[in-house]
Amino acid sequence: QKEVEQDPGPLSVPEGAIVSLNCTYSNSAFQYFMWYRQYSRKGPELLMYTYSSGNKEDGRFTAQVDKSSKYISLFIRDSQPSDSATYLCAMRTVLTGGGNKLTFGTGTQLKVEL
Amino acid sequence: DTAVSQTPKYLVTQMGNDKSIKCEQNLGHDTMYWYKQDSKKFLKIMFSYNNKELIINETVPNRFSPKSPDKAHLNLHINSLELGDSAVYFCASSQDGYQETQYFGPGTRLLVL
């Protein structure tokens, strides 16, 4: 079983829809939770990060963490064709020898259609 | 003014060859990483260097050897390439080893024939 599970999709939605992307995890040592967005043939870029359980909002994006259920979500409101990308959740552990390590989900491919 | 750059972007080679991928960051970051992304988009950490010191070395065949000549560069050398090495390799950097924000390069697409 992978430490981080994410539905690979693809997920296709009409423009303007609310999108819900989710990840579950098994490692209680994960402390920070991130969402990266990866456009086709590009490197991932950080979209949002959060530490505590609850919601964090940034424009049309809301990140939600439920540590008790080991479940994180990313909501996209009023989705646009430019949101079409692969969304990867990532979780951080601090290493005892220093530094940190990110563990990624497999990514969910999202397509927003006109 | 590319933040994290990699060369080459594409690499097609035969099994058994040795190849290198170069990475440079101009962000003044202390920590650099190598990731491998397979055909199913699974992104996995391979190595991490902080100020030229190796801090993460995941279970990677010893045919893969990272080298950091200075903190702005982290190169990846691969010996005796195998078919299973075909993937996209991403370099990334962060301000220090504790930052959640990692900046990724554009990737190097390696195809081993």
Side-chain angles (χ1 to χ4, degrees):
Chain A
Q1 183 191 4
K2 288 195 171 86
E3 286 186 286
V4 180
E5 298 281 354
Q6 185 176 8
D7 186 339
L11 179 63
S12 185
V13 301
E15 184 179 8
I18 296 174
V19 176
S20 172
L21 305 167
N22 311 296
C23 286
T24 58
Y25 63 95
S26 56
N27 188 347
S28 299
F30 290 140
Q31 297 177 340
Y32 280 81
F33 304 90
M34 287 140 277
W35 286 95
Y36 277 77
R37 178 175 60 195
Q38 185 177 17
Y39 290 113
S40 181
R41 297 195 168 272
K42 300 286 187 185
E45 55 179 347
L46 181 69
L47 201 55
M48 295 185 72
Y49 73 90
T50 185
Y51 173 73
S52 55
S53 283
N55 294 348
K56 181 177 180 179
E57 193 172 313
D58 183 1
R60 296 185 296 110
F61 299 89
T62 299
Q64 189 175 80
V65 174
D66 182 347
K67 287 188 176 181
S68 62
S69 301
K70 294 189 174 67
Y71 188 88
I72 71 169
S73 299
L74 177 71
F75 298 96
I76 307 174
R77 289 184 300 281
D78 187 25
S79 55
Q80 304 293 311
S82 58
D83 295 328
S84 298
T86 297
Y87 290 80
L88 302 114
C89 61
M91 310 192 181
R92 191 189 98 172
T93 46
V94 178
L95 303 173
T96 52
N100 70 54
K101 172 184 165 183
L102 294 186
T103 302
F104 284 84
T106 51
T108 299
Q109 186 180 348
L110 171 68
K111 185 173 182 182
V112 181
E113 298 183 344
L114 289 167
Chain B
D1 60 345
T2 305
V4 182
S5 59
Q6 296 177 229
T7 53
K9 287 187 178 176
Y10 299 95
L11 191 49
V12 181
T13 188
Q14 300 287 329
M15 270 175 50
N17 283 351
D18 303 339
K19 290 293 178 186
S20 290
I21 306 172
K22 295 186 176 181
C23 178
E24 177 181 1
Q25 54 94 3
N26 62 6
L27 297 165
H29 288 168
D30 287 342
T31 307
M32 297 184 72
Y33 312 81
W34 276 112
Y35 287 87
K36 178 180 180 181
Q37 188 171 47
D38 63 24
S39 58
K40 295 184 179 177
K41 294 281 193 176
F42 183 52
L43 190 63
K44 187 166 166 52
I45 183 76
M46 299 173 70
F47 302 103
S48 174
Y49 271 75
N50 186 57
N51 271 322
K52 302 196 299 174
E53 180 182 343
L54 182 67
I55 57 172
I56 295 176
N57 185 353
E58 290 292 283
T59 309
V60 177
N62 58 15
R63 298 182 293 103
F64 290 78
S65 52
K67 285 187 173 51
S68 182
D70 56 61
K71 72 175 192 178
H73 295 84
L74 180 62
N75 303 322
L76 183 65
H77 188 75
I78 316 170
N79 287 329
S80 303
L81 278 155
E82 300 177 357
L83 295 176
D85 298 332
S86 297
V88 182
Y89 292 84
F90 286 100
C91 176
S93 72
S94 63
Q95 187 171 351
D96 57 47
Y98 295 95
Q99 295 299 313
E100 55 282 331
T101 305
Q102 295 186 10
Y103 296 83
F104 284 78
T108 294
R109 282 155 184 80
L110 172 65
L111 178 61
V112 182
L113 301 174

